[in-house]
Amino acid sequence: MKPSTLSLLRRADLLVIAAVFLVLGGVLTIQRTTDFVIFCIFVLAYDLLYGYMGRLSFGHMLYLGVGAYAAALSAEHLSGNPLVALLAALLCGALVGLVLGPIIVRTTGACFALINLAFNQVGFFMAVTALSDWTGGEDGMSAFYDPVLGFDFGDPWVVFGFSLICLLAVVYLMKRLIASPFGVLLRSIKENETRVQFLGYDTFRYKLVAFVISTAVAAFAGGLTIINYVFVTPSFIDPGRNVEVIFACLIGGAANIYGALTGGVVFMIISNYLPNYIERWEMFLGLVLLVLVFRFRAGLWRYLAALVARSGAKEVVS
Amino acid sequence: MSDDAILRAVGVSKRFGAFSAVTDVDYVLREGEVAGIIGPNGAGKSTFFNLMTGLYAPTQGRIEFRGRDVTRLDAHQRVALGIVRTFQLVSVFGSLSVIENLILSVLRFREGAMKPWRFLFAKAHSVEVEDACLAALQRVGIAHLASAPTSTLSYGDKRRLEIAMSLSLNPRVLLLDEPLAGLGDGEITEVLELVREVCKSVTLVIIEHKISRIVDLVGRLSVMCEGRLLADGDPRRVLEDPEVRRVYWGDKAVAAAS
């Protein structure tokens, strides 16, 4: 591939992403592909904190779950409009981020990971037990949405198309954030937060902003999930599932938007289809992780990109 | 007490548990001064810098900037006042490119650049910003390295980069913590020349381990030892102080001199 073709692809990346998911949608079932799309949004939200700011969270299912329950509760108590549900999910995610963030972002390393986990456990408990009158406890609750402007959200293709547009919007948002001074600031905080303070920046404030963006987008993904599934159960807020998004980041390569997407899709393919062939598929996932750590530490995406760049260079030479 | 004091420490102490790193230090830095602080390893020089710049809060005493008590201000707030520092172990961002290292400092006090919307969504690599970064690199003589990965720079070039970052913050006072440490002989001459250039426009405090390197540079010299300020004043006179000679060269040198 010529470098010019590559740079052209890069410039039209949103179209390429849309095309890839459309092909996936044709090959796989549409509802599953929608699931892939939504999971990718969640991975992008996670990667902003983990990849770019260098903060590993073990409790991000809380924010996904808050969005999921907010969307379901909005359908039951507010309005059947799915856009209202998504707005509710986004706002609740941001609110939870704003309330918990000031405590959480003060910490780093293991402490950051575990304090998120602790809050996630509390959230899980509230969904299952404490607020079960509202959430339906273990059984969860259904959520049905009305058509908007003639688009019936009961139609899987409508949900797919809508989710895909949302993903593209989030990719665009993340690209802008990463390319901005804020993006440089996050990467600097990842490397040496104290130094950033001595450049005159109140790092606490910016970490909080990044955290709230991450929780809000994660909750938005949670809301979309419910529109896709039409029911919510505590599994959407189960801290045990947080490992999925970490795996996705590692597989694709952290601190890279395309890496997050690659990781999201590859992880979903493994976790959705491998169980059909291998009963204890998680073991295989462990092996994948081992190979990644030892062979492709920078993630699949960077490996592939380097491969393409090298073959392109060879072609130019020959 | 003169009114042209820009930075002042009043009875400042810092204890870490039972260990007293800095003990009851009074220090006044005047506007336009080039001051040096020397002392043996573990004398409390860096801790004193950390207290002045807000990395630590003093256990006792207070820090003033132009008569204003800044003891309780965070590091970033002191930077906003113009108290800027470098670190003993050169502290730049190895995972960023050289030019990216400058973006944050160049934008920090630039008109309108910190507006939330612009900071979050404007391009960091705009022509305007890159030009400003290049100008800052030019000033320390490493503009040709702008697009290099910072981790590939020599230690001396990293030191220059760190100084460029500090200068972009429009400092009123610049505190250089052992800027010559870890440099080769050629690099020392170059960085010293740079510091000589810088001190024409900025009030400067420089920590150094070896007296000979900065004795021609500074207009005033302070000696720290075991957390205390041992001597303070004209460099030549300070160096003749028998107490200073005792801690710095040991009793033998004093005996030999007398």
Side-chain angles (χ1 to χ4, degrees):
Chain A
M1 218 181 286
K2 281 182 221 143
S4 60
T5 332
L6 260 183
S7 68
L8 207 68
L9 276 179
R10 199 165 275 265
R11 211 167 301 163
D13 57 350
L14 292 185
L15 286 176
V16 176
I17 293 166
V20 168
F21 278 107
L22 278 169
V23 170
L24 277 174
V27 177
L28 315 172
T29 66
I30 194 65
Q31 208 193 8
R32 273 203 175 157
T33 313
T34 309
D35 222 17
F36 287 23
V37 171
I38 297 168
F39 184 65
C40 281
I41 297 180
F42 186 40
V43 180
L44 283 170
Y46 192 82
D47 197 34
L48 184 70
L49 284 191
Y50 170 59
Y52 289 99
M53 205 170 86
R55 300 290 188 272
L56 176 72
S57 160
F58 284 165
H60 244 53
M61 289 302 289
L62 173 64
Y63 315 115
L64 186 92
V66 162
Y69 279 103
L73 287 168
S74 149
E76 182 138 329
H77 301 288
L78 273 178
S79 129
N81 189 328
L83 301 181
V84 173
L86 285 174
L87 188 67
L90 191 74
L91 290 179
C92 288
L95 189 70
V96 170
L98 262 179
V99 171
L100 301 183
I103 309 165
I104 293 175
V105 302
R106 278 174 208 284
T107 62
T108 57
C111 202
F112 183 87
L114 294 177
I115 199 168
N116 274 291
L117 177 61
F119 282 123
N120 201 158
Q121 298 278 15
V122 172
F124 184 66
F125 166 75
M126 297 214 310
V128 174
T129 317
L131 300 176
S132 60
D133 288 347
W134 286 73
T135 62
E138 290 281 4
D139 302 329
M141 60 194 288
S142 311
F144 296 103
Y145 297 98
D146 302 333
V148 179
L149 301 171
F151 288 104
D152 177 12
F153 277 74
D155 179 353
W157 279 97
V158 169
V159 182
F160 171 75
F162 183 72
S163 302
L164 187 55
I165 292 170
C166 291
L167 173 66
L168 297 181
V170 171
V171 169
Y172 179 74
L173 170 79
M174 291 299 169
K175 277 177 69 174
R176 288 294 293 265
L177 284 177
I178 295 318
S180 73
F182 181 65
V184 177
L185 180 86
L186 291 187
R187 288 187 288 148
S188 305
I189 286 178
K190 178 182 183 178
E191 190 176 331
N192 186 348
E193 186 180 341
T194 305
R195 191 66 184 97
V196 179
Q197 288 165 348
F198 279 96
L199 295 179
Y201 288 84
D202 183 1
T203 51
F204 172 78
R205 243 171 61 192
Y206 295 98
K207 286 190 297 179
L208 185 61
V209 170
F211 187 75
V212 170
I213 292 174
S214 179
T215 60
V217 174
F220 184 79
L224 270 178
T225 310
I226 300 318
I227 291 175
N228 189 31
Y229 281 162
V230 298
F231 67 87
V232 58
T233 71
S235 76
F236 291 113
I237 197 168
D238 181 357
R241 287 183 58 198
N242 190 69
V243 70
E244 295 174 4
V245 70
I246 303 178
F247 268 7
C249 279
L250 289 176
I251 291 172
N256 187 307
I257 286 167
Y258 310 117
L261 297 173
T262 312
V265 169
V266 171
F267 175 83
M268 283 305 252
I269 288 175
I270 294 176
S271 68
N272 274 274
Y273 293 99
L274 209 60
N276 297 345
Y277 307 103
I278 308 173
E279 206 178 330
R280 300 302 337 158
W281 65 280
E282 294 96 335
M283 204 176 77
F284 178 80
L285 200 63
L287 287 175
V288 168
L289 205 65
L290 278 179
V291 173
L292 278 170
V293 166
F294 286 112
R295 182 68 185 78
F296 309 104
R297 190 164 291 183
L300 275 184
W301 171 260
R302 286 198 182 85
Y303 178 76
L304 292 175
L307 217 63
V308 171
R310 229 178 304 151
S311 72
K314 257 182 219 157
E315 238 166 76
V316 171
V317 172
S318 62
Chain B
M1 287 208 177
S2 54
D3 281 327
D4 58 348
I6 185 161
L7 203 54
R8 186 196 301 269
V10 186
V12 165
S13 299
K14 178 67 183 176
R15 277 187 293 277
F16 298 101
F19 174 67
S20 188
V22 169
T23 311
D24 197 25
V25 167
D26 290 295
Y27 186 82
V28 182
L29 186 72
R30 285 171 205 88
E31 198 104 36
E33 213 170 17
V34 183
I37 300 180
I38 58 166
N41 280 326
K45 308 183 294 286
S46 284
T47 305
F48 182 55
F49 258 32
N50 292 340
L51 293 170
M52 300 245 265
T53 55
L55 190 62
Y56 306 143
T59 318
Q60 251 165 32
R62 63 175 197 277
I63 313 285
E64 285 174 8
F65 177 79
R66 289 187 167 153
R68 176 184 165 187
D69 190 340
V70 297
T71 319
R72 307 220 155 270
L73 294 191
D74 292 331
H76 68 90
Q77 292 168 313
R78 297 195 203 187
V79 173
L81 291 174
I83 308 173
V84 177
R85 71 171 295 178
T86 65
F87 289 81
Q88 186 174 353
L89 283 173
V90 74
S91 192
V92 294
F93 300 101
S95 60
L96 307 183
S97 72
V98 170
I99 204 164
E100 279 177 326
N101 264 276
L102 278 159
I103 288 176
L104 292 181
S105 11
V106 161
L107 289 180
R108 180 62 185 88
F109 300 110
R110 201 180 177 83
E111 187 79 37
M114 297 306 292
K115 282 184 184 142
W117 192 257
R118 266 182 81 176
F119 191 76
L120 263 72
F121 296 107
K123 273 196 174 132
H125 286 270
S126 68
V127 177
E128 186 200 355
V129 175
E130 289 204 334
D131 281 351
C133 294
L134 280 174
L137 288 173
Q138 196 92 52
R139 194 167 168 193
V140 300
I142 54 169
H144 57 289
L145 297 171
S147 53
T150 304
S151 52
T152 63
L153 259 56
S154 71
Y155 202 75
D157 286 338
K158 282 183 186 164
R159 190 60 85 183
R160 287 164 189 254
L161 175 58
E162 194 182 17
I163 293 176
M165 287 157 74
S166 307
L167 290 178
S168 305
L169 293 167
N170 306 325
R172 302 276 171 268
V173 192
L174 186 57
L175 298 95
L176 302 173
D177 192 348
E178 294 207 30
L180 308 177
L183 301 187
D185 288 342
E187 288 175 326
I188 287 181
T189 322
E190 287 168 12
V191 170
L192 263 181
E193 214 159 286
L194 176 62
V195 172
R196 227 177 271 276
E197 195 57 40
V198 166
C199 70
K200 286 178 191 160
S201 50
V202 183
T203 308
L204 200 84
V205 193
I206 182 167
I207 289 183
E208 179 49 49
H209 193 64
K210 284 193 181 149
I211 300 169
S212 56
R213 286 171 178 169
I214 60 162
V215 74
D216 298 331
L217 176 76
V218 298
R220 165 177 167 212
L221 194 64
S222 312
V223 182
M224 279 189 81
C225 184
E226 289 169 356
R228 288 174 192 282
L229 206 57
L230 203 64
D232 187 15
D234 176 76
R236 306 278 160 206
R237 220 161 322 127
V238 165
L239 291 179
E240 278 161 19
D241 186 314
E243 188 68 5
V244 170
R245 297 186 72 85
R246 191 182 59 76
V247 304
Y248 235 81
W249 289 284
D251 290 314
K252 279 181 199 158
V254 180
S258 58

